[in-house]
C-alpha cells in the first residue's frame, strides 16, 4: 500500500461518509453498504480501487468490508475458498448464450473470498459479493441479513483455504497454480460476466 495508515483511515472514512455511516455504525449497516457496491473488475484487488470506482470484485469488496469493520474496532478477517464460481450463478435470459452456457454447465474453478466477522455470538461468514440488483435477478444474496447467522455464500466451497492479510498476492499465487486451460476459461467467463453485469447496472439487462 503506497499510503500511510492515516491516509488509508481517511479513505475508509470517506467511504463511510458517502454511505451515511458513522463511527457507531453497526456491522449490519456496514455490510449492506459494501454489499451494494456494484460488482465489477476495476484493474486491482484493493479496497482503494473499490472506493475510488464504487465498484469491485469479491476480493476488493471483502478487503474493504474487513478493513471498515476493523476501523470500527470489530474483529474480522478475509477467508479464501476454492469452488465453482459459474455453477452458483443462475442463467438469466438477458445473458449472452455463451455466458448462460457457463452458468448451466459450471466447471469454472475460482478462489472466492468472504469475511469472517467475530461477533459476540461467535464467527459469522459475511459474503458481500452481490448487490440488490443482481439478487433481484436470481443471484444468491443477502438483502435481508440482520446480523444473525451466516450469510449465503456466492459459491459452494469445495475447499476452505487460509485467512491471510495480503489477499491480492495470495489470490495471484493460487491462480498461478491452475492449468492453462483453467485460467483461459476462468478469464473468458469473468469477462462475459462483468460485461453483462455492466449492462444490468445501466438498465440494459433488466
Amino acid at each position: 500500500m503506497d499510503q500511510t495508515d492515516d491516509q488509508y483511515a481517511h479513505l475508509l472514512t470517506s467511504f463511510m461518509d458517502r454511505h451515511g455511516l458513522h463511527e457507531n455504525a453497526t456491522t449490519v449497516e456496514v455490510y449492506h453498504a459494501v454489499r451494494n457496491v456494484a460488482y465489477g473488475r476495476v484493474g486491482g484487488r484493493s479496497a482503494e480501487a473499490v472506493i475510488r470506482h464504487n465498484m469491485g470484485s469479491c476480493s476488493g469488496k471483502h478487503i474493504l468490508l474487513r478493513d471498515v469493520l476493523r476501523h470500527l474496532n470489530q474483529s474480522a478477517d478475509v477467508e479464501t475458498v476454492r469452488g465453482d464460481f459459474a455453477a452458483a450463478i443462475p442463467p438469466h435470459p438477458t445473458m449472452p448464450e455463451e455466458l448462460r452456457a457457463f452458468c448451466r454447465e459450471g466447471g469454472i474453478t475460482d478462489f472466492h473470498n468472504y469475511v469472517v466477522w467475530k461477533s459476540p455470538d461467535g464467527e459469522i461468514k459475511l459474503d458481500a459479493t452481490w448487490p440488490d440488483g443482481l439478487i433481484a435477478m436470481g443471484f444468491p444474496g443477502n438483502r435481508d441479513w440482520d446480523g444473525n447467522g451466516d450469510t449465503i455464500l456466492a459459491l459452494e466451497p469445495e475447499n476452505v483455504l487460509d485467512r491471510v492479510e495480503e489477499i491480492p498476492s495470495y489470490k495471484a499465487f493460487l491462480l498461478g497454480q491452475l492449468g492453462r486451460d483453467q485460467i483461459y476459461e476462468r478469464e473468458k467467463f469473468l469477462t462475459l460476466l462483468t460485461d453483462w453485469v455492466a449492462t444490468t447496472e445501466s438498465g440494459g439487462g433488466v
Side-chain angles (χ1 to χ4, degrees):
M1 173 183 313
D2 298 326
Q3 57 187 334
T4 67
D5 289 344
D6 285 346
Q7 288 171 326
Y8 189 54
H10 179 74
L11 194 63
L12 296 177
T13 300
S14 73
F15 172 82
M16 293 174 60
D17 289 344
R18 182 192 305 167
H19 293 274
L21 302 172
H22 48 74
E23 292 297 324
N24 294 320
T26 66
T27 296
V28 173
E29 291 170 331
V30 173
Y31 169 74
H32 287 298
V34 174
R35 187 181 59 74
N36 270 313
V37 170
Y39 176 82
R41 302 165 85 187
V42 291
R45 302 182 181 103
S46 71
E48 298 97 318
V50 176
I51 293 170
R52 293 198 169 101
H53 295 276
N54 199 33
M55 175 183 292
S57 65
C58 76
S59 298
K61 290 178 71 171
H62 289 105
I63 293 169
L64 174 60
L65 177 57
R66 176 196 69 185
D67 290 354
V68 174
L69 289 177
R70 288 179 176 179
H71 179 72
L72 297 176
N73 298 312
Q74 296 289 327
S75 180
D77 295 293
V78 174
E79 187 159 76
T80 302
V81 297
R82 176 178 175 136
D84 187 337
F85 195 32
I89 295 177
H92 192 275
T94 62
M95 290 176 174
E97 174 53 34
E98 190 173 15
L99 178 57
R100 290 202 303 272
F102 272 122
C103 296
R104 286 193 301 266
E105 298 166 13
I108 301 299
T109 297
D110 207 350
F111 299 97
H112 181 61
N113 298 119
Y114 51 79
V115 165
V116 179
W117 168 50
K118 295 175 180 62
S119 80
D121 298 319
E123 293 189 344
I124 291 180
K125 297 174 183 177
L126 303 180
D127 193 311
T129 304
W130 303 128
D132 284 349
L134 290 172
I135 295 171
M137 300 173 80
F139 281 53
N142 300 280
R143 284 184 295 190
D144 300 323
W145 185 72
D146 60 2
N148 296 305
D150 292 334
T151 60
I152 300 168
L153 302 184
L155 59 71
E156 182 68 30
E158 296 170 1
N159 304 99
V160 177
L161 305 177
D162 294 322
R163 300 177 190 180
V164 301
E165 289 297 302
E166 293 300 322
I167 300 301
S169 57
Y170 180 57
K171 194 159 186 177
F173 166 77
L174 292 172
L175 291 171
Q177 308 306 302
L178 297 178
R180 181 179 299 178
D181 289 345
Q182 288 176 303
I183 292 172
Y184 174 78
E185 291 297 303
R186 173 185 178 273
E187 183 61 30
K188 181 193 291 187
F189 166 72
L190 288 176
T191 298
L192 288 167
L193 176 64
T194 52
D195 286 350
W196 173 76
V197 167
T199 71
T200 72
E201 293 294 328
S202 64
V206 177

